[in-house]
Amino acid sequence: QVQLVESGGGLVQPGGSLRLSCAISGSIFNVNAMGWYRQAPGKEREMVATITSGDNTNYEDSVKGRFTISRDNAKNTLYLQMNSLKPEDTAVYCCNILYYKGLVWGQGTQVTVSS
């Protein structure tokens, strides 16, 4: 079965950095895109960053220039490098993939930015 497991979240001070990882297990075919989403308290889930099979990337406006999405196909891992973190970035971050069978979501990892 296909599973996504996030890691790397935690508590950081404003201006700090974190790198989130999403480990993918199971057989996946014809992957179209992968992405990171987040949901903050009192808000709906929003797209943070996506990357397609053709390596096209897209970012939510507030994270442009601060976050970078990447993948390592050999390690079956998706990453989100987060720099210059702000309190507004506090949320549960989830990874997902879109492939021929549909969408698969991870369980999420908590990121808290606070002094």
Side-chain angles (χ1 to χ4, degrees), residues 3-47:
Q3 289 187 320
L4 308 179
V5 180
E6 301 94 335
S7 62
L11 174 64
V12 297
Q13 293 187 334
S17 297
L18 285 174
R19 189 175 78 159
L20 305 183
S21 298
C22 174
I24 304 166
S25 63
S27 297
I28 303 175
F29 301 92
N30 299 316
V31 176
N32 296 120
M34 301 179 178
W36 288 96
Y37 294 74
R38 67 186 180 187
Q39 186 167 20
K43 293 190 175 183
E44 295 184 354
R45 180 187 292 166
E46 66 176 351
M47 184 274 290

Side-chain angles (χ1 to χ4, degrees), residues 2 14 20 23 28 39 45 50 53 67 70-72 83 91 95 110:
V2 175
L20 305 183
I28 303 175
Q39 186 167 20
R45 180 187 292 166
T50 59
S53 60
F67 291 10
S70 63
R71 66 182 179 219
D72 186 332
N83 299 325
C95 61
Q110 176 70 48

Side-chain angles (χ1 to χ4, degrees), residues 16 38-40 46 48 60 62-63 66-67 82-93 110-113:
R38 67 186 180 187
Q39 186 167 20
E46 66 176 351
V48 177
E60 195 275 327
S62 69
V63 310
R66 300 188 297 121
F67 291 10
M82 305 185 295
N83 299 325
S84 302
L85 284 162
K86 304 175 180 179
E88 305 92 270
D89 296 318
T90 296
V92 174
Y93 285 71
Q110 176 70 48
V111 172
T112 302
V113 185

Side-chain angles (χ1 to χ4, degrees), residues 5 23 28 31 52 64 77 96:
V5 180
I28 303 175
V31 176
T52 70
K64 288 181 179 178
T77 303
N96 82 337

